[in-house]
């Protein structure tokens, strides 16, 4: 008994094992870090699925979280341009500044859609590096996951093998799911849609669903009655079959248009947490495809 007590006391005196502190700007990267890192990462997500990721306030609580982070995982491509630079600068954490190993940008690792040939802010909130919503193409997300696993291994070399094994497990399940999703989504190919904002460009590109217009007259500018009326007039000549919006976007414009055009208005989760069924990355794609298919029926 005495030996057992001594052993327990010795174990209690050992330093507690601590997980790698990851600061994810948006839910999809928090979910990806958890898939790869498991219990070896402690993930804080700065935003929710019901917030517009373009318009976030650099709150003191975010500064405090960034101050203790060992890895910041961001989208980049100017998605967080209005708030993340302030958070990183004011955090005083040298390890997570752009250019350091502790700063990871997902969009920089994949080819982006809608890169403007001419940058003119008169055209609205145009992203110079292209559309930043890259997580909605599962093939691009897989490439980002591979790079994230390597970055985790670099920041936390003691657990490098575990991160690589975590990614290998995720990748196997993810590739199997892609095959299932692509088979299920075959009826969506060629179905024209209108979107509130360019949030779904990578999803519709992957599924072969042409986007024939946006409810916003310019990116980041809320739809006006004139814009909606013009789209409704155009609907007669080139009809969309669905109107799509993200969970964080206002319902009124898409519902107004859909009721007059007699087509479904669909809310897609957009990211993890955007619907009750989208509680992880697999659920995000399962639910998005299910909702699109239901809209066709």
């Amino acid at each position: 008994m005495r030996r057992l007590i001594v052993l327990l006391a010795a174990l209690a005196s050992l330093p507690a094992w601590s997980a790698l502190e990851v600061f994810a700007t948006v839910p999809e990267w928090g979910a990806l870090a958890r898939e790869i890192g498991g219990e070896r990462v402690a993930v804080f997500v700065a935003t929710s699925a019901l917030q517009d990721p373009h318009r976030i306030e650099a709150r003191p609580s975010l500064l405090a979280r960034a101050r203790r982070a060992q890895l910041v995982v961001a989208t980049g491509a100017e998605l967080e341009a209005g708030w993340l630079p302030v958070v990183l600068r004011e955090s005083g954490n040298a390890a997570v500044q752009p250019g350091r190993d502790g700063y990871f940008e997902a969009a920089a690792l994949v080819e982006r859609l809608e890169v403007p040939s001419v940058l003119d802010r008169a055209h609205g909130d145009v992203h110079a590096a292209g559309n930043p919503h890259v997580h909605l193409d599962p093939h691009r997300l897989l490439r980002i996951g591979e790079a994230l696993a390597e970055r985790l291994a670099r920041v936390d070399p003691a657990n490098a093998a575990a991160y690589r094994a975590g990614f290998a497990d995720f990748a196997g399940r993810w590739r199997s799911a892609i095959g299932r999703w692509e088979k299920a989504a075959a009826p969506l190919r060629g179905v024209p849609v209108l979107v509130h904002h360019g949030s779904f460009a990578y999803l519709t590109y992957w599924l072969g669903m042409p986007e024939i217009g946006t409810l916003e007259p310019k990116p980041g500018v809320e739809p006006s009655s004139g814009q909606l009326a013009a789209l409704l007039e155009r609907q007669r000549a080139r009809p969309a079959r669905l109107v799509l919006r993200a969970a964080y976007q206002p319902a009124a414009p898409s519902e107004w248009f859909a009721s007059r055009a007699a087509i479904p208005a669909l809310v897609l989760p957009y990211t993890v947490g955007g619907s009750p069924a989208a509680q992880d990355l697999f659920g995000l794609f399962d639910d998005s495809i299910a909702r699109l298919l239901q809209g066709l029926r």
Side-chain angles (χ1 to χ4, degrees):
M1 178 61 71
R2 187 172 180 277
R3 284 186 178 181
L4 178 60
I5 293 173
V6 170
L7 177 60
L8 290 174
L11 289 173
S13 69
L14 293 175
W17 175 80
S18 60
L20 184 76
E21 296 279 352
V22 176
F23 179 109
T25 60
V26 286
E28 55 266 28
W29 307 134
L32 184 60
R34 291 188 187 101
E35 289 283 356
I36 296 168
E39 65 181 10
R40 290 173 177 80
V41 295
V43 179
F44 169 77
V45 180
T47 60
S48 80
L50 301 183
Q51 292 177 289
D52 184 341
H54 302 83
R55 297 178 175 87
I56 301 297
E57 182 182 349
R59 304 184 306 277
S61 59
L62 296 185
L63 302 183
R65 286 289 188 164
R67 189 172 296 122
R68 59 193 274 192
Q70 295 165 276
L71 178 65
V72 168
V73 183
T75 299
E78 300 181 347
L79 181 72
E80 306 98 343
W83 62 278
L84 184 59
V86 176
V87 168
L88 295 180
R89 184 177 66 247
E90 297 300 320
S91 75
N93 185 347
V96 298
Q97 301 302 315
R100 303 294 296 271
D101 284 348
Y103 180 78
F104 179 92
E105 263 193 14
L109 299 166
V110 293
E111 182 182 0
R112 291 169 301 285
L113 303 175
E114 301 174 358
V115 178
S117 55
V118 176
L119 186 61
D120 186 348
R121 292 301 179 185
H123 296 157
D125 186 14
V126 177
H127 295 282
N131 189 303
H133 306 290
V134 294
H135 69 286
L136 285 175
D137 176 353
H139 297 283
R140 284 175 167 87
L141 191 142
L142 188 61
R143 292 198 292 275
I144 292 165
E146 183 175 19
L148 179 56
E150 290 304 311
R151 184 61 60 87
L152 285 163
R154 191 185 309 171
V155 173
D156 183 17
N159 288 305
Y163 295 130
R164 291 175 180 132
F167 172 72
D169 175 71
F170 168 73
R173 292 181 290 117
W174 194 250
R175 290 188 181 101
S176 177
I178 289 175
R180 173 168 53 81
W181 292 326
E182 291 180 345
K183 182 178 180 180
L188 299 171
R189 186 161 296 277
V191 173
V193 297
L194 287 171
V195 296
H196 183 104
H197 175 77
S199 310
F200 302 110
Y202 293 88
L203 180 67
T204 55
Y205 178 82
W206 168 52
L207 296 176
M209 304 177 73
E211 291 189 7
I212 62 173
T214 60
L215 302 188
E216 292 178 336
K218 298 176 182 179
V221 177
E222 285 304 311
S224 65
S225 56
Q227 166 73 358
L228 295 175
L231 286 172
L232 192 60
E233 180 65 27
R234 198 183 73 180
Q235 177 76 357
R236 296 186 176 92
R238 192 183 180 196
R241 293 182 60 187
L242 302 170
V243 186
L244 311 181
R245 70 173 176 89
Y248 68 84
Q249 290 162 343
S254 59
E255 290 180 355
W256 183 95
F257 184 92
S259 66
R260 285 157 179 79
I263 61 175
L266 302 183
V267 184
L268 301 186
Y270 171 72
T271 188
V272 174
S275 72
Q279 295 305 303
D280 60 17
L281 290 168
F282 293 89
L284 170 62
F285 283 88
D286 282 337
D287 194 39
S288 296
I289 291 171
R291 287 172 181 244
L292 288 167
L293 291 170
Q294 182 63 35
L296 284 189
R297 301 188 189 107

